Amino acid sequence: MLKRSILIAVAPLALAACGGTQNLGLESVHQPVVSRADYAFDLGAGPGGLAPGESQRLSGWMTSLRLGYGDRIAIDDPARDPATRADVAAQAAQFGLLVSDDAPVTAAPITPGTVRVVVSRARASVPGCPDYSRMYQPDYNQHTSSNHGCATNSNLASMVASPTDLVRGEPGSGVADAAVSTKAIQSFRNAVPTGAGGTAVKAESAGGK
């Protein structure tokens, strides 16, 4: 009878250990996920740029979106009018943004005499966090906590200025100045060693008794 009771008690523990999120190492399974949303706005345009009053409409729309660093602005203009691009770029400059050369594909067709301004916005989040699915269960496989990595990666996702950097990073300029790169090392090498020439090392005091 005693043996049977032990088997019944162990069975629920074994099942409990199999449930919940399993982190097999220090690299958490909870990683930031980047999603993108496109916002389109159609404006009237002519041969000389945006139609009268359209610049004000565009400015109000951009303000309502609260544009900021990381947002991407593109123009879908079948006529490819430089004046239209300049008008849109002037409104984007008020938010410290540039106009991209490539516009994402949108579902609705563009009617003649209009241009489409598309704002692409990326957001980063960590799904499933916090995760307490295996916090209070016995673990016989040396897994880290089911909530491991949630705090660090959630903070990273919320603080990164441009969420797309988590996907592909920044390529950089590709240009490096060797003189600037080695300036600190060269200053260290050219410094006179302390105690050189038989001089004693300068004694310092914090002023205490």
Side-chain angles (χ1 to χ4, degrees), residues 5-149:
S5 300
I6 293 176
L7 292 177
I8 293 176
V10 171
L13 293 178
L15 292 175
C18 296
T21 302
Q22 297 184 356
N23 279 311
L24 301 179
L26 296 179
E27 183 68 19
S28 174
V29 298
H30 299 292
Q31 296 294 327
V33 175
V34 179
S35 59
R36 194 189 78 180
D38 295 331
Y39 305 91
F41 191 61
D42 290 351
L43 300 164
L50 294 177
E54 293 297 81
S55 293
Q56 289 76 11
R57 290 183 60 225
L58 178 60
S59 177
W61 179 67
M62 290 180 171
T63 301
S64 67
L65 289 179
R66 299 181 179 180
L67 296 185
Y69 181 83
D71 292 333
R72 181 172 171 269
I73 302 175
I75 305 173
D76 194 352
D77 181 12
R80 298 184 180 275
D81 185 6
T84 300
R85 179 183 176 86
D87 289 343
V88 176
Q91 298 301 323
Q94 297 181 5
F95 300 89
L97 300 176
L98 300 176
V99 176
S100 175
D101 295 329
D102 301 323
V105 178
T106 52
I110 301 176
T111 58
T114 63
V115 296
R116 179 166 296 162
V117 178
V118 182
V119 173
S120 299
R121 175 172 292 172
R123 287 289 181 265
S125 62
V126 183
C129 283
D131 184 355
Y132 303 119
S133 60
R134 203 173 41 79
M135 290 290 291
Y136 306 106
Q137 299 178 8
D139 181 11
Y140 305 107
N141 296 315
Q142 300 300 317
H143 294 150
T144 51
S145 167
S146 59
N147 198 50
H148 174 70

